[in-house]
Every structure is written in C-alpha cells, then in structure tokens.
Amino acid sequence: MTTPAQLRLDTALADLRATFRGMTAHPDENHCECRRSNGQGLALLRTPDTWLQPDLLLRMWWSPDWDDHAAVLRRILPQLTYSLAKGWIEPIIGMEAVGHSLAFGEWQHWPAEQTAAVREFLHSWWAYSLTTPEVAVPAYEVLTLCAEASGTLTPWLDVWESLSDPVADRRLAETVARWGPDLLGDELPWLTRQDERARCAELTAWLACHAPARLRAAGAPEQLLHWVRLLGLPKPARWDDHSY
C-alpha cells in the first residue's frame, strides 16, 4: 500500500523530472574533458534527459570545479534525486557530500519553480526517511544532506520534533547509537562547510531536550539513554563521566 509519505516523495520526484526536463550543461562547459572518457561525459551532459552510468553520475555531482556547476546539477538532478531516494548513491565521505554539491550550485537562488522543486524533494525525502519502517538510506544520513544543502539544521529538527510516530522514535535511537560518541566528544559526526561548533551545539542541545522520552518510548538500550543524559550536562561534568 502506498503511504502518504511515499506518495509525497513520488510526487516530488515526478515534479523534479518535469521541472528539469530538457536541461543541459552550459554549451561551453569544458571542465576536465581529458578525464571524461574522451569527452563522452561532456557530450552526455549536453544531451538532455539521458541517464548516465552510475560512475559517471558520481563524477558529475562530485566534481567541485565545473565552469558552471549549477547548470551541471540542473542537468543531472532528476537522475540524482531518484538515485538518492533508491539508495543507489554511495558517496565516499557520506551523504553530506551531496549536500555540499547542492549548496555549491546555489540551488536556493535558482528560478522559483526550480528552487521549490528541490526544496520539496528534500522535505519529502526527509519525512519519508523518518516515518517509513524500511528505508534505503538511514535518516541520519538524509539529515546531513539536507542540513548541508540548506545551510541549516533547524527546520529539519523541527520536523522531527513535530512527528508523533514510533518509526520516527526508532530513527532517533538509530541516530544516537551512530552519533552519540562523536557528540559526547564535542565533534560533529559529519563534515560541514558551516560553523561546526555552532552546528554541533544545536544538535547536542536538541537531542538532550527531545531524545530521552522518545528513546524510552522506543525501548532503546540504557546506554543510549545514558548518552543523551550526558549530552545535557555541562561539558566538564560530561567529561568527568568516563562511562560512555
């Protein structure tokens, strides 16, 4: 049965395909042609609506120094977003790398229709990852992508806070299990191009406030409850407790 979250995500993906149909890279794009299969990659980027092999798709969004990065992104977005939702994208350093690529392309300054399509995909994928029992990409990875792409954690945490859903609570337990040790050491668990200290502080404070009750509701291990309790302590007190 198609759930509301699945329907919303499917609609967002269809809207992206329609919005970015016919897009191509800039006709004068000539970045690293010698490394693009003797120009084959550039030729495909100049050909609209043709899907790329996975390794070529990776090189297209991963490269930071296209002459017109935004145009390349607009060309590949329908395939990239579909592949993300399916769990086919496996960045070397984590999903935040895709967020960095989107941010570098300045998608929030594109024409309004394009910006709205990208924003709805991010929000629909985030909601889907929080409420669907079996997902291809862990919610904490989706969060890193959304935070880096948008330049903020706040709206994504607000959505999580608003959900009264046992699946969203389980996702919280998975996140604490994955990120707890890093956060207890005052380290952000992903690479950011924003203010790392401020982002770590925001995430830590949010977890300390909102995680305990939801972890208990999800039947999380006592170790995770202990970690979030420590996150709520002042740093000296936290560091004095070596039991984590």
Side-chain angles (χ1 to χ4, degrees), residues 31 35-36 54-66 69 72-73 76 80 89-98 100-102 104 191 193:
H31 166 60
R35 287 164 38 202
R36 304 282 181 231
D55 61 332
L56 186 57
L57 178 65
L58 172 64
R59 292 202 300 266
M60 295 308 165
W61 67 259
W62 178 271
S63 178
D65 50 0
W66 291 104
H69 186 79
V72 171
L73 276 181
I76 66 173
L80 177 61
I89 301 293
E90 297 183 3
I92 297 171
I93 62 171
M95 280 295 174
E96 69 267 27
V98 184
H100 296 160
S101 182
L102 287 168
F104 189 65
L191 296 175
R193 293 185 177 179

PDB file of all heavy atoms in Angstrom, residues 31 35-36 54-66 69 72-73 76 80 89-98 100-102 104 191 193:
ATOM      1  N   HIS A  31      35.198  21.416 -18.663  1.00  0.00           N
ATOM      2  CA  HIS A  31      35.993  21.049 -17.497  1.00  0.00           C
ATOM      3  C   HIS A  31      36.530  19.624 -17.599  1.00  0.00           C
ATOM      4  O   HIS A  31      35.774  18.675 -17.768  1.00  0.00           O
ATOM      5  CB  HIS A  31      35.144  21.188 -16.235  1.00  0.00           C
ATOM      6  CG  HIS A  31      35.742  20.528 -15.029  1.00  0.00           C
ATOM      7  ND1 HIS A  31      36.960  20.871 -14.526  1.00  0.00           N
ATOM      8  CD2 HIS A  31      35.281  19.531 -14.242  1.00  0.00           C
ATOM      9  CE1 HIS A  31      37.224  20.118 -13.479  1.00  0.00           C
ATOM     10  NE2 HIS A  31      36.217  19.291 -13.293  1.00  0.00           N
ATOM     11  N   ARG A  35      39.470  13.709 -18.650  1.00  0.00           N
ATOM     12  CA  ARG A  35      39.109  12.692 -17.668  1.00  0.00           C
ATOM     13  C   ARG A  35      37.676  12.232 -17.829  1.00  0.00           C
ATOM     14  O   ARG A  35      37.157  11.492 -17.027  1.00  0.00           O
ATOM     15  CB  ARG A  35      39.312  13.256 -16.259  1.00  0.00           C
ATOM     16  CG  ARG A  35      40.777  13.387 -15.885  1.00  0.00           C
ATOM     17  CD  ARG A  35      40.984  14.288 -14.674  1.00  0.00           C
ATOM     18  NE  ARG A  35      39.979  14.144 -13.660  1.00  0.00           N
ATOM     19  CZ  ARG A  35      39.727  15.092 -12.758  1.00  0.00           C
ATOM     20  NH1 ARG A  35      40.387  16.216 -12.789  1.00  0.00           N
ATOM     21  NH2 ARG A  35      38.799  14.892 -11.836  1.00  0.00           N
ATOM     22  N   ARG A  36      36.994  12.682 -18.831  1.00  0.00           N
ATOM     23  CA  ARG A  36      35.584  12.344 -19.008  1.00  0.00           C
ATOM     24  C   ARG A  36      35.410  11.371 -20.171  1.00  0.00           C
ATOM     25  O   ARG A  36      34.646  11.606 -21.089  1.00  0.00           O
ATOM     26  CB  ARG A  36      34.760  13.610 -19.259  1.00  0.00           C
ATOM     27  CG  ARG A  36      34.916  14.653 -18.169  1.00  0.00           C
ATOM     28  CD  ARG A  36      34.104  14.300 -16.934  1.00  0.00           C
ATOM     29  NE  ARG A  36      34.268  15.338 -15.944  1.00  0.00           N
ATOM     30  CZ  ARG A  36      34.595  15.114 -14.688  1.00  0.00           C
ATOM     31  NH1 ARG A  36      34.797  13.896 -14.265  1.00  0.00           N
ATOM     32  NH2 ARG A  36      34.717  16.109 -13.843  1.00  0.00           N
ATOM     33  N   PRO A  54      26.233   4.962 -13.391  1.00  0.00           N
ATOM     34  CA  PRO A  54      26.426   5.405 -12.009  1.00  0.00           C
ATOM     35  C   PRO A  54      27.783   6.041 -11.732  1.00  0.00           C
ATOM     36  O   PRO A  54      27.863   7.039 -11.011  1.00  0.00           O
ATOM     37  CB  PRO A  54      26.245   4.105 -11.206  1.00  0.00           C
ATOM     38  CG  PRO A  54      25.336   3.278 -12.047  1.00  0.00           C
ATOM     39  CD  PRO A  54      25.718   3.576 -13.468  1.00  0.00           C
ATOM     40  N   ASP A  55      28.862   5.486 -12.300  1.00  0.00           N
ATOM     41  CA  ASP A  55      30.175   6.064 -12.025  1.00  0.00           C
ATOM     42  C   ASP A  55      30.309   7.444 -12.655  1.00  0.00           C
ATOM     43  O   ASP A  55      30.948   8.343 -12.080  1.00  0.00           O
ATOM     44  CB  ASP A  55      31.286   5.133 -12.508  1.00  0.00           C
ATOM     45  CG  ASP A  55      31.231   4.888 -14.012  1.00  0.00           C
ATOM     46  OD1 ASP A  55      30.135   4.960 -14.586  1.00  0.00           O
ATOM     47  OD2 ASP A  55      32.298   4.617 -14.600  1.00  0.00           O
ATOM     48  N   LEU A  56      29.694   7.645 -13.809  1.00  0.00           N
ATOM     49  CA  LEU A  56      29.741   8.949 -14.458  1.00  0.00           C
ATOM     50  C   LEU A  56      28.877   9.954 -13.706  1.00  0.00           C
ATOM     51  O   LEU A  56      29.264  11.114 -13.524  1.00  0.00           O
ATOM     52  CB  LEU A  56      29.286   8.832 -15.911  1.00  0.00           C
ATOM     53  CG  LEU A  56      29.415  10.087 -16.773  1.00  0.00           C
ATOM     54  CD1 LEU A  56      30.855  10.593 -16.782  1.00  0.00           C
ATOM     55  CD2 LEU A  56      28.930   9.808 -18.194  1.00  0.00           C
ATOM     56  N   LEU A  57      27.708   9.505 -13.238  1.00  0.00           N
ATOM     57  CA  LEU A  57      26.854  10.379 -12.435  1.00  0.00           C
ATOM     58  C   LEU A  57      27.604  10.849 -11.197  1.00  0.00           C
ATOM     59  O   LEU A  57      27.551  12.034 -10.834  1.00  0.00           O
ATOM     60  CB  LEU A  57      25.577   9.633 -12.034  1.00  0.00           C
ATOM     61  CG  LEU A  57      24.604  10.404 -11.136  1.00  0.00           C
ATOM     62  CD1 LEU A  57      24.021  11.606 -11.865  1.00  0.00           C
ATOM     63  CD2 LEU A  57      23.494   9.479 -10.644  1.00  0.00           C
ATOM     64  N   LEU A  58      28.318   9.928 -10.548  1.00  0.00           N
ATOM     65  CA  LEU A  58      29.099  10.291  -9.368  1.00  0.00           C
ATOM     66  C   LEU A  58      30.108  11.374  -9.701  1.00  0.00           C
ATOM     67  O   LEU A  58      30.239  12.374  -8.964  1.00  0.00           O
ATOM     68  CB  LEU A  58      29.813   9.049  -8.818  1.00  0.00           C
ATOM     69  CG  LEU A  58      30.834   9.273  -7.701  1.00  0.00           C
ATOM     70  CD1 LEU A  58      30.160   9.818  -6.462  1.00  0.00           C
ATOM     71  CD2 LEU A  58      31.571   7.982  -7.374  1.00  0.00           C
ATOM     72  N   ARG A  59      30.823  11.229 -10.789  1.00  0.00           N
ATOM     73  CA  ARG A  59      31.836  12.218 -11.148  1.00  0.00           C
ATOM     74  C   ARG A  59      31.205  13.571 -11.454  1.00  0.00           C
ATOM     75  O   ARG A  59      31.795  14.616 -11.182  1.00  0.00           O
ATOM     76  CB  ARG A  59      32.643  11.737 -12.359  1.00  0.00           C
ATOM     77  CG  ARG A  59      33.519  10.528 -12.062  1.00  0.00           C
ATOM     78  CD  ARG A  59      34.665  10.415 -13.052  1.00  0.00           C
ATOM     79  NE  ARG A  59      34.203  10.273 -14.430  1.00  0.00           N
ATOM     80  CZ  ARG A  59      34.026   9.108 -15.035  1.00  0.00           C
ATOM     81  NH1 ARG A  59      34.248   7.981 -14.376  1.00  0.00           N
ATOM     82  NH2 ARG A  59      33.620   9.066 -16.292  1.00  0.00           N
ATOM     83  N   MET A  60      29.997  13.553 -11.994  1.00  0.00           N
ATOM     84  CA  MET A  60      29.359  14.806 -12.373  1.00  0.00           C
ATOM     85  C   MET A  60      28.984  15.661 -11.162  1.00  0.00           C
ATOM     86  O   MET A  60      29.193  16.865 -11.155  1.00  0.00           O
ATOM     87  CB  MET A  60      28.120  14.533 -13.226  1.00  0.00           C
ATOM     88  CG  MET A  60      28.419  13.896 -14.570  1.00  0.00           C
ATOM     89  SD  MET A  60      29.665  14.833 -15.499  1.00  0.00           S
ATOM     90  CE  MET A  60      30.108  13.630 -16.746  1.00  0.00           C
ATOM     91  N   TRP A  61      28.370  15.042 -10.142  1.00  0.00           N
ATOM     92  CA  TRP A  61      27.988  15.862  -8.998  1.00  0.00           C
ATOM     93  C   TRP A  61      29.132  16.039  -8.015  1.00  0.00           C
ATOM     94  O   TRP A  61      29.173  17.003  -7.246  1.00  0.00           O
ATOM     95  CB  TRP A  61      26.743  15.310  -8.288  1.00  0.00           C
ATOM     96  CG  TRP A  61      26.894  13.992  -7.586  1.00  0.00           C
ATOM     97  CD1 TRP A  61      26.482  12.774  -8.048  1.00  0.00           C
ATOM     98  CD2 TRP A  61      27.481  13.749  -6.294  1.00  0.00           C
ATOM     99  NE1 TRP A  61      26.776  11.796  -7.130  1.00  0.00           N
ATOM    100  CE2 TRP A  61      27.392  12.359  -6.043  1.00  0.00           C
ATOM    101  CE3 TRP A  61      28.073  14.563  -5.332  1.00  0.00           C
ATOM    102  CZ2 TRP A  61      27.875  11.773  -4.874  1.00  0.00           C
ATOM    103  CZ3 TRP A  61      28.557  13.987  -4.162  1.00  0.00           C
ATOM    104  CH2 TRP A  61      28.458  12.604  -3.948  1.00  0.00           C
ATOM    105  N   TRP A  62      30.090  15.116  -8.025  1.00  0.00           N
ATOM    106  CA  TRP A  62      31.184  15.161  -7.049  1.00  0.00           C
ATOM    107  C   TRP A  62      32.172  16.277  -7.364  1.00  0.00           C
ATOM    108  O   TRP A  62      32.706  16.925  -6.470  1.00  0.00           O
ATOM    109  CB  TRP A  62      31.889  13.811  -7.042  1.00  0.00           C
ATOM    110  CG  TRP A  62      33.060  13.712  -6.118  1.00  0.00           C
ATOM    111  CD1 TRP A  62      34.371  14.008  -6.392  1.00  0.00           C
ATOM    112  CD2 TRP A  62      33.043  13.300  -4.751  1.00  0.00           C
ATOM    113  NE1 TRP A  62      35.157  13.792  -5.300  1.00  0.00           N
ATOM    114  CE2 TRP A  62      34.361  13.351  -4.276  1.00  0.00           C
ATOM    115  CE3 TRP A  62      32.021  12.874  -3.905  1.00  0.00           C
ATOM    116  CZ2 TRP A  62      34.690  12.997  -2.962  1.00  0.00           C
ATOM    117  CZ3 TRP A  62      32.352  12.515  -2.601  1.00  0.00           C
ATOM    118  CH2 TRP A  62      33.674  12.587  -2.149  1.00  0.00           C
ATOM    119  N   SER A  63      32.451  16.499  -8.649  1.00  0.00           N
ATOM    120  CA  SER A  63      33.476  17.466  -9.034  1.00  0.00           C
ATOM    121  C   SER A  63      33.106  18.873  -8.581  1.00  0.00           C
ATOM    122  O   SER A  63      31.993  19.341  -8.836  1.00  0.00           O
ATOM    123  CB  SER A  63      33.667  17.453 -10.549  1.00  0.00           C
ATOM    124  OG  SER A  63      34.628  18.415 -10.922  1.00  0.00           O
ATOM    125  N   PRO A  64      34.017  19.590  -7.908  1.00  0.00           N
ATOM    126  CA  PRO A  64      33.697  20.911  -7.375  1.00  0.00           C
ATOM    127  C   PRO A  64      34.040  22.058  -8.322  1.00  0.00           C
ATOM    128  O   PRO A  64      33.775  23.207  -8.001  1.00  0.00           O
ATOM    129  CB  PRO A  64      34.578  20.993  -6.123  1.00  0.00           C
ATOM    130  CG  PRO A  64      35.818  20.250  -6.535  1.00  0.00           C
ATOM    131  CD  PRO A  64      35.349  19.133  -7.454  1.00  0.00           C
ATOM    132  N   ASP A  65      34.650  21.777  -9.460  1.00  0.00           N
ATOM    133  CA  ASP A  65      35.181  22.885 -10.256  1.00  0.00           C
ATOM    134  C   ASP A  65      34.721  22.879 -11.709  1.00  0.00           C
ATOM    135  O   ASP A  65      35.495  23.114 -12.631  1.00  0.00           O
ATOM    136  CB  ASP A  65      36.710  22.917 -10.185  1.00  0.00           C
ATOM    137  CG  ASP A  65      37.347  21.556 -10.476  1.00  0.00           C
ATOM    138  OD1 ASP A  65      36.602  20.604 -10.728  1.00  0.00           O
ATOM    139  OD2 ASP A  65      38.593  21.477 -10.439  1.00  0.00           O
ATOM    140  N   TRP A  66      33.439  22.595 -11.902  1.00  0.00           N
ATOM    141  CA  TRP A  66      32.858  22.824 -13.214  1.00  0.00           C
ATOM    142  C   TRP A  66      32.853  24.329 -13.497  1.00  0.00           C
ATOM    143  O   TRP A  66      32.790  25.153 -12.586  1.00  0.00           O
ATOM    144  CB  TRP A  66      31.423  22.320 -13.255  1.00  0.00           C
ATOM    145  CG  TRP A  66      31.270  20.836 -13.181  1.00  0.00           C
ATOM    146  CD1 TRP A  66      30.879  20.102 -12.098  1.00  0.00           C
ATOM    147  CD2 TRP A  66      31.506  19.890 -14.235  1.00  0.00           C
ATOM    148  NE1 TRP A  66      30.861  18.763 -12.406  1.00  0.00           N
ATOM    149  CE2 TRP A  66      31.245  18.601 -13.713  1.00  0.00           C
ATOM    150  CE3 TRP A  66      31.909  20.011 -15.565  1.00  0.00           C
ATOM    151  CZ2 TRP A  66      31.356  17.449 -14.471  1.00  0.00           C
ATOM    152  CZ3 TRP A  66      32.027  18.855 -16.324  1.00  0.00           C
ATOM    153  CH2 TRP A  66      31.759  17.593 -15.780  1.00  0.00           C
ATOM    154  N   HIS A  69      28.739  24.947 -12.353  1.00  0.00           N
ATOM    155  CA  HIS A  69      28.313  23.822 -11.522  1.00  0.00           C
ATOM    156  C   HIS A  69      26.787  23.734 -11.452  1.00  0.00           C
ATOM    157  O   HIS A  69      26.210  22.638 -11.486  1.00  0.00           O
ATOM    158  CB  HIS A  69      28.894  23.975 -10.117  1.00  0.00           C
ATOM    159  CG  HIS A  69      28.645  22.811  -9.220  1.00  0.00           C
ATOM    160  ND1 HIS A  69      29.369  21.657  -9.287  1.00  0.00           N
ATOM    161  CD2 HIS A  69      27.737  22.624  -8.220  1.00  0.00           C
ATOM    162  CE1 HIS A  69      28.940  20.800  -8.368  1.00  0.00           C
ATOM    163  NE2 HIS A  69      27.945  21.359  -7.712  1.00  0.00           N
ATOM    164  N   VAL A  72      25.301  22.014 -14.491  1.00  0.00           N
ATOM    165  CA  VAL A  72      25.533  20.568 -14.452  1.00  0.00           C
ATOM    166  C   VAL A  72      24.552  19.910 -13.491  1.00  0.00           C
ATOM    167  O   VAL A  72      23.961  18.866 -13.793  1.00  0.00           O
ATOM    168  CB  VAL A  72      26.991  20.259 -14.046  1.00  0.00           C
ATOM    169  CG1 VAL A  72      27.183  18.769 -13.790  1.00  0.00           C
ATOM    170  CG2 VAL A  72      27.953  20.726 -15.142  1.00  0.00           C
ATOM    171  N   LEU A  73      24.346  20.522 -12.331  1.00  0.00           N
ATOM    172  CA  LEU A  73      23.397  19.962 -11.369  1.00  0.00           C
ATOM    173  C   LEU A  73      21.982  19.908 -11.942  1.00  0.00           C
ATOM    174  O   LEU A  73      21.281  18.901 -11.794  1.00  0.00           O
ATOM    175  CB  LEU A  73      23.398  20.787 -10.087  1.00  0.00           C
ATOM    176  CG  LEU A  73      24.470  20.486  -9.048  1.00  0.00           C
ATOM    177  CD1 LEU A  73      24.292  21.401  -7.847  1.00  0.00           C
ATOM    178  CD2 LEU A  73      24.429  19.030  -8.614  1.00  0.00           C
ATOM    179  N   ILE A  76      21.517  16.929 -14.198  1.00  0.00           N
ATOM    180  CA  ILE A  76      21.514  15.573 -13.637  1.00  0.00           C
ATOM    181  C   ILE A  76      20.522  15.390 -12.488  1.00  0.00           C
ATOM    182  O   ILE A  76      20.345  14.264 -12.009  1.00  0.00           O
ATOM    183  CB  ILE A  76      22.921  15.169 -13.145  1.00  0.00           C
ATOM    184  CG1 ILE A  76      23.362  16.046 -11.954  1.00  0.00           C
ATOM    185  CG2 ILE A  76      23.935  15.242 -14.278  1.00  0.00           C
ATOM    186  CD1 ILE A  76      24.668  15.597 -11.313  1.00  0.00           C
ATOM    187  N   LEU A  80      19.775  12.122 -10.249  1.00  0.00           N
ATOM    188  CA  LEU A  80      20.451  12.150  -8.949  1.00  0.00           C
ATOM    189  C   LEU A  80      19.450  11.978  -7.812  1.00  0.00           C
ATOM    190  O   LEU A  80      19.672  11.171  -6.892  1.00  0.00           O
ATOM    191  CB  LEU A  80      21.210  13.466  -8.789  1.00  0.00           C
ATOM    192  CG  LEU A  80      21.920  13.679  -7.451  1.00  0.00           C
ATOM    193  CD1 LEU A  80      22.971  12.607  -7.198  1.00  0.00           C
ATOM    194  CD2 LEU A  80      22.561  15.068  -7.402  1.00  0.00           C
ATOM    195  N   ILE A  89      23.124   5.969  -4.375  1.00  0.00           N
ATOM    196  CA  ILE A  89      24.258   6.881  -4.277  1.00  0.00           C
ATOM    197  C   ILE A  89      25.040   6.557  -3.006  1.00  0.00           C
ATOM    198  O   ILE A  89      24.481   6.561  -1.912  1.00  0.00           O
ATOM    199  CB  ILE A  89      23.799   8.350  -4.234  1.00  0.00           C
ATOM    200  CG1 ILE A  89      23.008   8.690  -5.494  1.00  0.00           C
ATOM    201  CG2 ILE A  89      24.984   9.281  -4.058  1.00  0.00           C
ATOM    202  CD1 ILE A  89      23.810   8.678  -6.770  1.00  0.00           C
ATOM    203  N   GLU A  90      26.319   6.277  -3.167  1.00  0.00           N
ATOM    204  CA  GLU A  90      27.174   5.950  -2.028  1.00  0.00           C
ATOM    205  C   GLU A  90      28.422   6.836  -2.045  1.00  0.00           C
ATOM    206  O   GLU A  90      29.483   6.425  -2.511  1.00  0.00           O
ATOM    207  CB  GLU A  90      27.569   4.474  -2.061  1.00  0.00           C
ATOM    208  CG  GLU A  90      26.388   3.511  -1.929  1.00  0.00           C
ATOM    209  CD  GLU A  90      26.824   2.069  -1.892  1.00  0.00           C
ATOM    210  OE1 GLU A  90      28.037   1.815  -1.902  1.00  0.00           O
ATOM    211  OE2 GLU A  90      25.944   1.194  -1.859  1.00  0.00           O
ATOM    212  N   PRO A  91      28.287   8.068  -1.548  1.00  0.00           N
ATOM    213  CA  PRO A  91      29.443   8.967  -1.540  1.00  0.00           C
ATOM    214  C   PRO A  91      30.579   8.409  -0.688  1.00  0.00           C
ATOM    215  O   PRO A  91      30.352   7.687   0.282  1.00  0.00           O
ATOM    216  CB  PRO A  91      28.885  10.253  -0.930  1.00  0.00           C
ATOM    217  CG  PRO A  91      27.415  10.151  -1.102  1.00  0.00           C
ATOM    218  CD  PRO A  91      27.087   8.692  -1.006  1.00  0.00           C
ATOM    219  N   ILE A  92      31.767   8.780  -1.044  1.00  0.00           N
ATOM    220  CA  ILE A  92      32.950   8.275  -0.342  1.00  0.00           C
ATOM    221  C   ILE A  92      32.962   8.741   1.107  1.00  0.00           C
ATOM    222  O   ILE A  92      33.314   7.977   2.009  1.00  0.00           O
ATOM    223  CB  ILE A  92      34.218   8.722  -1.076  1.00  0.00           C
ATOM    224  CG1 ILE A  92      34.260   8.124  -2.487  1.00  0.00           C
ATOM    225  CG2 ILE A  92      35.468   8.315  -0.295  1.00  0.00           C
ATOM    226  CD1 ILE A  92      35.361   8.678  -3.359  1.00  0.00           C
ATOM    227  N   ILE A  93      32.560   9.978   1.364  1.00  0.00           N
ATOM    228  CA  ILE A  93      32.670  10.537   2.711  1.00  0.00           C
ATOM    229  C   ILE A  93      31.322  10.679   3.403  1.00  0.00           C
ATOM    230  O   ILE A  93      31.257  11.205   4.502  1.00  0.00           O
ATOM    231  CB  ILE A  93      33.377  11.899   2.693  1.00  0.00           C
ATOM    232  CG1 ILE A  93      32.574  12.914   1.854  1.00  0.00           C
ATOM    233  CG2 ILE A  93      34.798  11.767   2.176  1.00  0.00           C
ATOM    234  CD1 ILE A  93      33.078  14.331   1.967  1.00  0.00           C
ATOM    235  N   GLY A  94      30.238  10.254   2.798  1.00  0.00           N
ATOM    236  CA  GLY A  94      28.935  10.388   3.427  1.00  0.00           C
ATOM    237  C   GLY A  94      28.003  11.271   2.617  1.00  0.00           C
ATOM    238  O   GLY A  94      28.414  11.998   1.708  1.00  0.00           O
ATOM    239  N   MET A  95      26.733  11.224   2.968  1.00  0.00           N
ATOM    240  CA  MET A  95      25.717  11.946   2.220  1.00  0.00           C
ATOM    241  C   MET A  95      25.878  13.457   2.288  1.00  0.00           C
ATOM    242  O   MET A  95      25.328  14.185   1.446  1.00  0.00           O
ATOM    243  CB  MET A  95      24.321  11.559   2.727  1.00  0.00           C
ATOM    244  CG  MET A  95      23.810  10.243   2.178  1.00  0.00           C
ATOM    245  SD  MET A  95      23.565  10.323   0.401  1.00  0.00           S
ATOM    246  CE  MET A  95      23.167   8.613   0.070  1.00  0.00           C
ATOM    247  N   GLU A  96      26.605  13.957   3.274  1.00  0.00           N
ATOM    248  CA  GLU A  96      26.819  15.395   3.316  1.00  0.00           C
ATOM    249  C   GLU A  96      27.500  15.907   2.054  1.00  0.00           C
ATOM    250  O   GLU A  96      27.349  17.070   1.671  1.00  0.00           O
ATOM    251  CB  GLU A  96      27.631  15.799   4.553  1.00  0.00           C
ATOM    252  CG  GLU A  96      29.087  15.356   4.571  1.00  0.00           C
ATOM    253  CD  GLU A  96      29.275  14.027   5.278  1.00  0.00           C
ATOM    254  OE1 GLU A  96      28.340  13.221   5.298  1.00  0.00           O
ATOM    255  OE2 GLU A  96      30.382  13.809   5.827  1.00  0.00           O
ATOM    256  N   ALA A  97      28.257  15.019   1.375  1.00  0.00           N
ATOM    257  CA  ALA A  97      28.934  15.437   0.148  1.00  0.00           C
ATOM    258  C   ALA A  97      27.938  15.861  -0.925  1.00  0.00           C
ATOM    259  O   ALA A  97      28.191  16.804  -1.685  1.00  0.00           O
ATOM    260  CB  ALA A  97      29.823  14.308  -0.370  1.00  0.00           C
ATOM    261  N   VAL A  98      26.802  15.170  -1.009  1.00  0.00           N
ATOM    262  CA  VAL A  98      25.771  15.570  -1.968  1.00  0.00           C
ATOM    263  C   VAL A  98      25.193  16.925  -1.562  1.00  0.00           C
ATOM    264  O   VAL A  98      24.934  17.794  -2.405  1.00  0.00           O
ATOM    265  CB  VAL A  98      24.660  14.517  -2.065  1.00  0.00           C
ATOM    266  CG1 VAL A  98      23.657  14.906  -3.142  1.00  0.00           C
ATOM    267  CG2 VAL A  98      25.232  13.140  -2.360  1.00  0.00           C
ATOM    268  N   HIS A 100      26.801  19.256   0.012  1.00  0.00           N
ATOM    269  CA  HIS A 100      27.805  20.258  -0.348  1.00  0.00           C
ATOM    270  C   HIS A 100      27.694  20.617  -1.827  1.00  0.00           C
ATOM    271  O   HIS A 100      27.816  21.786  -2.203  1.00  0.00           O
ATOM    272  CB  HIS A 100      29.210  19.728  -0.055  1.00  0.00           C
ATOM    273  CG  HIS A 100      29.468  19.478   1.389  1.00  0.00           C
ATOM    274  ND1 HIS A 100      30.483  18.644   1.838  1.00  0.00           N
ATOM    275  CD2 HIS A 100      28.860  19.935   2.512  1.00  0.00           C
ATOM    276  CE1 HIS A 100      30.479  18.604   3.141  1.00  0.00           C
ATOM    277  NE2 HIS A 100      29.498  19.378   3.580  1.00  0.00           N
ATOM    278  N   SER A 101      27.488  19.596  -2.663  1.00  0.00           N
ATOM    279  CA  SER A 101      27.375  19.846  -4.097  1.00  0.00           C
ATOM    280  C   SER A 101      26.162  20.725  -4.404  1.00  0.00           C
ATOM    281  O   SER A 101      26.245  21.676  -5.201  1.00  0.00           O
ATOM    282  CB  SER A 101      27.271  18.517  -4.852  1.00  0.00           C
ATOM    283  OG  SER A 101      27.216  18.718  -6.244  1.00  0.00           O
ATOM    284  N   LEU A 102      25.034  20.426  -3.769  1.00  0.00           N
ATOM    285  CA  LEU A 102      23.834  21.241  -3.983  1.00  0.00           C
ATOM    286  C   LEU A 102      24.048  22.678  -3.500  1.00  0.00           C
ATOM    287  O   LEU A 102      23.664  23.633  -4.177  1.00  0.00           O
ATOM    288  CB  LEU A 102      22.648  20.617  -3.253  1.00  0.00           C
ATOM    289  CG  LEU A 102      22.070  19.348  -3.874  1.00  0.00           C
ATOM    290  CD1 LEU A 102      21.105  18.670  -2.913  1.00  0.00           C
ATOM    291  CD2 LEU A 102      21.366  19.660  -5.191  1.00  0.00           C
ATOM    292  N   PHE A 104      26.878  24.253  -3.249  1.00  0.00           N
ATOM    293  CA  PHE A 104      27.829  24.905  -4.138  1.00  0.00           C
ATOM    294  C   PHE A 104      27.148  25.367  -5.422  1.00  0.00           C
ATOM    295  O   PHE A 104      27.530  26.366  -6.025  1.00  0.00           O
ATOM    296  CB  PHE A 104      28.983  23.958  -4.457  1.00  0.00           C
ATOM    297  CG  PHE A 104      30.124  24.604  -5.188  1.00  0.00           C
ATOM    298  CD1 PHE A 104      30.886  25.598  -4.585  1.00  0.00           C
ATOM    299  CD2 PHE A 104      30.442  24.223  -6.479  1.00  0.00           C
ATOM    300  CE1 PHE A 104      31.933  26.200  -5.260  1.00  0.00           C
ATOM    301  CE2 PHE A 104      31.493  24.817  -7.166  1.00  0.00           C
ATOM    302  CZ  PHE A 104      32.238  25.811  -6.547  1.00  0.00           C
ATOM    303  N   LEU A 191      31.183  16.020   7.993  1.00  0.00           N
ATOM    304  CA  LEU A 191      31.948  17.170   7.521  1.00  0.00           C
ATOM    305  C   LEU A 191      30.994  18.277   7.105  1.00  0.00           C
ATOM    306  O   LEU A 191      30.092  18.061   6.294  1.00  0.00           O
ATOM    307  CB  LEU A 191      32.832  16.766   6.335  1.00  0.00           C
ATOM    308  CG  LEU A 191      33.914  15.735   6.629  1.00  0.00           C
ATOM    309  CD1 LEU A 191      34.627  15.341   5.341  1.00  0.00           C
ATOM    310  CD2 LEU A 191      34.917  16.264   7.642  1.00  0.00           C
ATOM    311  N   ARG A 193      30.417  22.535   5.981  1.00  0.00           N
ATOM    312  CA  ARG A 193      31.003  23.775   5.482  1.00  0.00           C
ATOM    313  C   ARG A 193      30.413  24.975   6.203  1.00  0.00           C
ATOM    314  O   ARG A 193      30.634  26.112   5.801  1.00  0.00           O
ATOM    315  CB  ARG A 193      30.776  23.884   3.971  1.00  0.00           C
ATOM    316  CG  ARG A 193      31.546  22.812   3.189  1.00  0.00           C
ATOM    317  CD  ARG A 193      31.417  22.980   1.697  1.00  0.00           C
ATOM    318  NE  ARG A 193      32.226  21.997   0.993  1.00  0.00           N
ATOM    319  CZ  ARG A 193      32.296  21.885  -0.329  1.00  0.00           C
ATOM    320  NH1 ARG A 193      31.595  22.704  -1.077  1.00  0.00           N
ATOM    321  NH2 ARG A 193      33.056  20.975  -0.887  1.00  0.00           N
TER     322      ARG A 193
END
